[in-house]
Amino acid sequence: MRVKVTPSHVHGQVSIPCSKSMAHRAIICASLSKGKSVVSNISYSKDIEATINCMESLGAKITKQEDSCIIYGTDLSIHEDLTLNCNESGSTLRFFIPLASLIDGNITFIGQGRLLSRPMEVYENIFNEQNCTYKQADTIQIKGPLKPGHYKIRGDISSQFISGLFFCLPLLSQDSIVEIIPKYESKSYVELTISMLKKFNIEIIQLDELHYKIPGNQQYKPCDIVVEGDYSQMAFFAALDKLNGPIECLNMDETSLQGDKAIIDILKQYNGNDVVIDLSNCPDLGPILCTFASFQPVQTKIINAQRLRMKESDRIEAMEQELKKWGVDMESTYDTITINGKPEYKKDKIVELLGHNDHRIVMALTVFGLCAKSESIIEDAQAISKSYPHFFEDIQKINGKCEIL
């Protein structure tokens, strides 16, 4: 899909879709509960569809309605080989590998795009240490079950490994300990997992900054959940609000634990002085912060950004490649981004941009195009369906000129 973006003065209200992070967690917890749960305020992006489909494969009964789903949970008592398709959802893959190990059968994970090339050594090492099966090539094949024990997890790779274990370990017969090896990044996502598990009667005990105790023999209990709005999606409109015109974002919880809520305070840092932004706890904000920084007449240095290189695209390389087409003064190292911004960008001809098959790149480039002084066209714009299928419709509702070609 190609989208033409024309500079526009935006204004109005937008209802932010549900937090994808919280929706994944709510669906998984409800699907492991014995009884009926209702998860409301759901947006059926490709990533959420992947989690629903995988949970159904593991035995949950899920009925999708317009913006909610009714879920009857599974006890994972399946005795057969299964194939689970995670599409391009890293959360789905990393959350499900430990859970799927509890099935009595050989489990094959498949996916699209760069999914199966993302770092997975954490699980590979755990499975090998416990003499379980773990094979990775074009697919990932596992056979468990994982056992209770003392798990040591690097904290600088992805919090999704920690969350994946937290879904699984309470179901084992004995207690387990999860120890985080510093540096502990993206802790806010682990806190989201713990908060959701608590709603479904699962206890995770934090012993200190780096150690968690997970009691065994726990049972998930049904719970009705309304999923809060997504701060990582709101970030695009928050940037637009500051750069372009007044926008009111609806459906947001001001008490949220989402790490991407940091966007509010980050944007406030710009007061005429150079800015340093630490992405270690909010990596998904990287692309839109590159756009925002480009329009600030100061130097912005983004640090601890290395995990941007392991997403649907190498987001550092992708943003640098595309923003330089606009003339942005931007350079990077493996884990930093430096941008010397200016107030205005204008080209004599339409700027041809590539979305790199990455939803956040497409949305960040759209915001840039709305705030620039000349037109652009974005290829690969269909990538928004991964997390925010109605993004362009919402942009149009606030007077943003985005034409699907």
Side-chain angles (χ1 to χ4, degrees):
M1 182 170 76
R2 303 171 76 237
V3 172
K4 182 179 180 180
V5 182
T6 301
S8 313
H9 177 64
V10 298
H11 56 86
Q13 295 180 332
V14 60
S15 183
I16 304 300
C18 75
S19 164
K20 189 158 63 79
S21 295
M22 296 301 279
H24 282 300
R25 289 160 170 79
I27 291 166
I28 290 171
C29 289
S31 297
L32 295 171
S33 303
K34 294 182 179 179
K36 175 186 174 182
S37 300
V38 179
V39 180
S40 304
N41 191 36
I42 288 285
S43 301
Y44 291 107
S45 62
K46 284 187 175 181
D47 282 9
I48 296 304
E49 292 277 11
T51 286
I52 289 173
N53 293 340
C54 287
M55 214 63 249
E56 288 179 321
S57 296
L58 296 186
K61 307 298 182 184
I62 302 178
T63 301
K64 294 187 295 183
Q65 300 182 328
E66 183 176 355
D67 62 354
S68 65
C69 53
I70 299 170
I71 301 176
Y72 289 89
T74 175
D75 60 4
L76 301 176
S77 58
I78 297 175
H79 306 280
E80 60 181 280
D81 297 345
L82 297 174
T83 297
L84 302 183
N85 185 355
C86 299
N87 205 325
E88 289 188 90
S89 175
S91 295
T92 305
L93 178 63
R94 288 172 176 156
F95 290 167
F96 272 78
I97 286 177
L99 279 176
S101 82
L102 304 184
I103 297 296
D104 184 15
N106 296 294
I107 310 298
T108 300
F109 287 91
I110 61 175
Q112 282 71 51
R114 285 165 44 106
L115 180 66
L116 295 179
S117 65
R118 294 197 191 184
M120 299 297 293
E121 290 85 357
V122 170
Y123 285 151
E124 182 177 9
N125 293 338
I126 289 173
F127 275 72
N128 289 337
E129 289 169 3
Q130 297 198 8
N131 294 317
C132 298
T133 299
Y134 185 99
K135 299 177 182 177
Q136 183 168 357
D138 295 333
T139 64
I140 294 176
Q141 300 176 45
I142 68 164
K143 189 175 193 310
L146 292 181
K147 305 171 186 66
H150 189 132
Y151 291 79
K152 294 184 179 181
I153 308 295
R154 282 178 55 187
D156 63 346
I157 301 179
S158 172
S159 64
Q160 292 169 351
F161 296 111
I162 304 167
S163 292
L165 289 172
F166 281 2
F167 290 124
C168 168
L169 296 180
L171 299 174
L172 304 186
S173 60
Q174 298 177 28
D175 299 354
S176 296
I177 296 291
V178 172
E179 176 183 349
I180 311 302
I181 301 171
K183 181 179 179 184
Y184 191 0
E185 299 179 352
S186 293
K187 183 180 179 182
S188 62
Y189 288 97
V190 177
E191 292 172 343
L192 290 182
T193 302
I194 293 172
S195 70
M196 185 61 71
L197 287 167
K198 185 176 181 180
K199 295 178 189 298
F200 288 85
N201 197 49
I202 297 296
E203 182 182 31
I204 306 292
I205 303 169
Q206 184 165 1
L207 302 176
D208 57 37
E209 185 68 20
L210 299 174
H211 293 83
Y212 299 88
K213 179 180 178 181
I214 301 90
N217 284 316
Q218 297 191 63
Q219 290 188 348
Y220 287 79
K221 291 187 178 179
C223 179
D224 292 346
I225 292 289
V226 178
V227 182
E228 65 189 61
D230 192 328
Y231 274 93
S232 70
Q233 308 290 28
M234 190 210 76
F236 297 96
F237 295 96
L240 261 178
D241 172 75
K242 295 291 187 182
L243 293 173
N244 190 302
I247 301 172
E248 182 181 3
C249 295
L250 308 178
N251 192 36
M252 304 308 299
D253 179 0
E254 293 182 0
T255 66
S256 174
L257 296 176
Q258 294 177 51
D260 294 324
K261 184 181 173 184
I263 187 66
I264 297 172
D265 291 330
I266 290 172
L267 297 185
K268 291 178 180 177
Q269 292 182 39
Y270 286 90
N271 56 10
N273 299 315
D274 292 350
V275 172
V276 177
I277 300 170
D278 186 344
L279 278 193
S280 59
N281 204 37
C282 51
D284 284 343
L285 298 181
I288 187 55
L289 288 174
C290 288
T291 287
F292 188 82
S294 298
F295 286 92
Q296 305 305 308
V298 297
Q299 182 179 91
T300 300
K301 187 168 185 178
I302 300 174
I303 62 173
N304 293 320
Q306 63 271 19
R307 267 180 297 147
L308 294 182
R309 296 195 181 277
M310 302 296 179
K311 297 291 186 176
E312 287 79 355
S313 68
D314 179 335
R315 287 177 175 166
I316 295 177
E317 180 180 342
M319 288 303 294
E320 187 169 3
Q321 179 179 325
E322 302 311 314
L323 294 188
K324 283 184 173 179
K325 295 176 182 177
W326 278 107
V328 175
D329 180 359
M330 177 177 178
E331 61 182 24
S332 65
T333 66
Y334 180 72
D335 60 355
T336 69
I337 305 166
T338 302
I339 296 174
N340 295 295
K342 62 181 184 179
E344 184 176 303
Y345 295 88
K346 184 176 181 179
K347 292 291 182 179
D348 294 333
K349 60 181 181 179
I350 292 178
V351 180
E352 297 277 351
L353 303 168
L354 181 64
H356 294 261
N357 193 36
D358 190 320
H359 53 132
R360 298 197 192 278
I361 300 299
V362 173
M363 291 188 281
L365 295 179
T366 300
V367 172
F368 195 107
L370 292 171
C371 298
K373 298 296 183 182
S374 57
E375 295 179 331
S376 58
I377 291 177
I378 305 172
E379 301 276 359
D380 263 357
Q382 72 280 356
I384 59 163
S385 64
K386 178 177 169 60
S387 67
Y388 197 162
H390 305 297
F391 175 72
F392 291 119
E393 294 173 27
D394 284 350
I395 289 292
Q396 291 168 350
K397 289 177 183 176
I398 56 173
N399 201 45
K401 297 177 183 178
C402 296
E403 179 187 356
I404 298 175
L405 303 178

